[in-house]
Amino acid sequence: MNLRHWLLMTLLGGLVGCATTTPLEPRELVYATPYDETFREAVDLMVEQGYVVRHADLSLGRAEASLARWPGYRLQLEVNEEVSGSRVSVSALRGNQPLPPYLLDPWLVALQNKLGVAP
């Protein structure tokens, strides 16, 4: 194997390694509030915290928001209807790396307070 071929293989191997990302692990909590109220309040909370909502669809129960501070944060929200209320699933990225799910607990507690269902 000549040097040029070796360099090309090394470069391609590095690019493939960079494309691999860790899957997002959501944090979930069930609230005793109606689906549509929970979704709207969750999106409002994103805005209150300085996020710019890029996509929000009540019928799908999904929203995505970005925070323009370095290194760049993105929240992904999903709300599903449950028998006893609604299930909120939230995940986040810092740059291109997933945030550990436990770091989203304060956000879920803030939503709980906003909905008026805090213990």
Side-chain angles (χ1 to χ4, degrees):
M1 179 184 295
N2 66 26
L3 181 59
R4 187 183 329 173
H5 185 77
W6 181 82
L7 286 173
L8 180 60
M9 294 303 290
T10 303
L11 178 62
L12 289 175
L15 291 175
V16 169
C18 292
T20 310
T21 59
T22 309
L24 288 176
E25 286 186 57
R27 196 63 150 195
E28 294 185 343
L29 193 58
V30 175
Y31 299 95
T33 54
Y35 164 83
D36 57 337
E37 176 187 354
T38 304
F39 183 83
R40 286 185 177 98
E41 293 295 336
V43 171
D44 284 348
L45 180 59
M46 290 175 168
V47 172
E48 288 172 10
Q49 292 180 339
Y51 285 85
V52 175
V53 177
R54 298 168 40 116
H55 306 285
D57 189 328
L58 177 62
S59 65
L60 294 176
R62 294 186 182 171
E64 184 177 306
S66 297
L67 190 60
R69 286 191 298 222
W70 187 84
Y73 293 89
R74 275 192 348 230
L75 280 180
Q76 295 178 349
L77 170 76
E78 188 171 334
V79 180
N80 293 296
E81 196 166 1
E82 294 281 320
V83 174
S84 61
S86 50
R87 177 180 304 274
V88 172
S89 174
V90 64
S91 54
L93 293 163
R94 179 184 326 140
N96 291 326
Q97 296 299 314
L99 282 179
Y102 72 88
L103 293 177
L104 298 166
D105 288 349
W107 192 89
L108 290 168
V109 170
L111 179 59
Q112 190 174 33
N113 289 326
K114 189 167 178 57
L115 290 167
V117 293

